[in-house]
Amino acid sequence: MSKKIAPSLLAADFGNLQKDVEMVNNSDADWHHIDVMDGVFVPNISYGMPVVKSIAKHATKPLDVHLMIIDPDRYIKTFAELGASVLSVHYEACTHLHRTLQAIKTEGMKAGVALNPHTSITLLEDTIQDIDVVCLMSVNPGFGGQSFIENTYQKITDLKQLIKKKNTNTLIEIDGGVNSSNAKKLVDTGADVLVAGSFVFKSENPTATIKDLKQTIN
Ligand code: DX5
Ligand code: ZN
């Protein structure tokens, strides 16, 4: 299966969101990565449902929604109605993770779990069979444009081992500080999906940057 690129719209031009969503539509990207932050789970507020609704109206590729919010169960149905294909919740924000994953699947979405940099892969031993996508945070969540944390490679190796041991089809997604210097090593280590925000949107030619990234990893 080809390795995926998911541009993070957090780094897009909010004054002209439609244009950036269409750029992603017409690029070699695979998913639209959508970061929802509540100012409580993370020290920043990004955007909420009305903005996600506008993105969904123009997007033609699957919506990969990353919830950086406490108590995400409250909004699972809402994000399904908004058209999310993948809904990721944070391990650290879920008291009853198994129940949350079932609720996401009941709504017809793929269930994702994001892990903060300090959260060990071993904590997924008993849920990996229920997870479609594990999103490894390679920065502390809350902001775009931060530097990649090198320990992520070890986490990918450990996660890959767990996925093999349990014989699941879980995808490994990497989120934060992804660029052309670490993309190849990330997929060679076992990543399946790379999220890239600043590296794509702050580049001179985002379409060409996505194309290059996609070629680098496939
Ligand atoms: C961080 C977000 C990321 C962010 C990545 O909390 O989850 O998706 O947009 O941005 P870059 O690629 O700039 O690190
Ligand atoms: Zn994200």
Side-chain angles (χ1 to χ4, degrees):
M1 197 188 49
S2 90
K3 306 287 181 176
K4 295 179 177 18
I5 297 291
S8 167
L9 290 165
L10 188 64
D13 176 2
F14 292 163
N16 210 340
L17 206 44
Q18 182 179 347
K19 178 174 146 275
D20 281 348
V21 171
E22 285 171 352
M23 183 282 292
V24 175
N25 289 343
N26 297 323
S27 75
D28 288 343
D30 299 275
W31 294 348
H32 300 267
H33 186 81
I34 299 176
D35 291 300
V36 176
M37 305 177 185
D38 66 356
V40 179
F41 180 71
V42 288
N44 193 16
I45 298 175
S46 54
Y47 44 70
M49 284 68 168
V51 174
V52 177
K53 193 172 180 184
S54 298
I55 294 170
K57 191 170 127 198
H58 300 291
T60 57
K61 295 180 177 177
L63 304 185
D64 172 36
V65 177
H66 176 193
L67 297 183
M68 283 159 274
I69 67 173
I70 58 162
D71 201 3
D73 300 46
R74 293 171 293 166
Y75 301 114
I76 290 172
K77 213 177 168 53
T78 307
F79 281 103
E81 285 162 4
L82 286 170
S85 295
V86 181
L87 190 66
S88 294
V89 294
H90 264 265
Y91 178 88
E92 304 82 7
C94 296
T95 311
H96 301 284
L97 183 61
H98 183 268
R99 178 184 286 152
T100 304
L101 295 172
Q102 302 312 315
I104 293 172
K105 290 188 196 178
T106 299
E107 293 298 333
M109 298 176 285
K110 291 202 182 312
V113 176
L115 297 189
N116 278 338
H118 75 270
T119 303
S120 171
I121 298 303
T122 56
L123 295 165
L124 298 182
E125 276 265 350
D126 295 294
T127 38
I128 193 72
Q129 62 278 3
D130 302 303
I131 305 175
D132 297 305
V133 181
V134 173
C135 176
L136 294 180
M137 292 310 301
S138 38
V139 297
N140 284 293
F143 303 92
Q146 304 179 82
S147 325
F148 179 82
I149 297 172
E150 295 288 322
N151 185 52
T152 308
Y153 296 114
Q154 185 58 51
K155 291 181 81 171
I156 297 173
T157 305
D158 295 347
L159 178 55
K160 196 81 195 169
Q161 220 168 20
L162 178 62
I163 290 169
K164 278 207 182 115
K165 186 174 98 183
K166 301 276 185 169
N167 200 19
T168 72
N169 294 320
T170 315
L171 296 179
I172 302 178
E173 179 176 51
I174 307 301
D175 189 4
V178 171
N179 56 43
S180 56
S181 339
N182 53 25
K184 179 144 180 29
K185 187 171 171 191
L186 287 167
V187 300
D188 286 350
T189 312
D192 303 293
V193 186
L194 301 184
V195 175
S198 321
F199 186 70
V200 165
F201 286 99
K202 307 294 178 217
S203 71
E204 195 109 323
N205 183 342
T207 309
T209 302
I210 293 169
K211 187 172 188 199
D212 287 350
L213 275 177
K214 182 85 181 169
Q215 271 171 1
T216 308
I217 62 171
N218 282 288

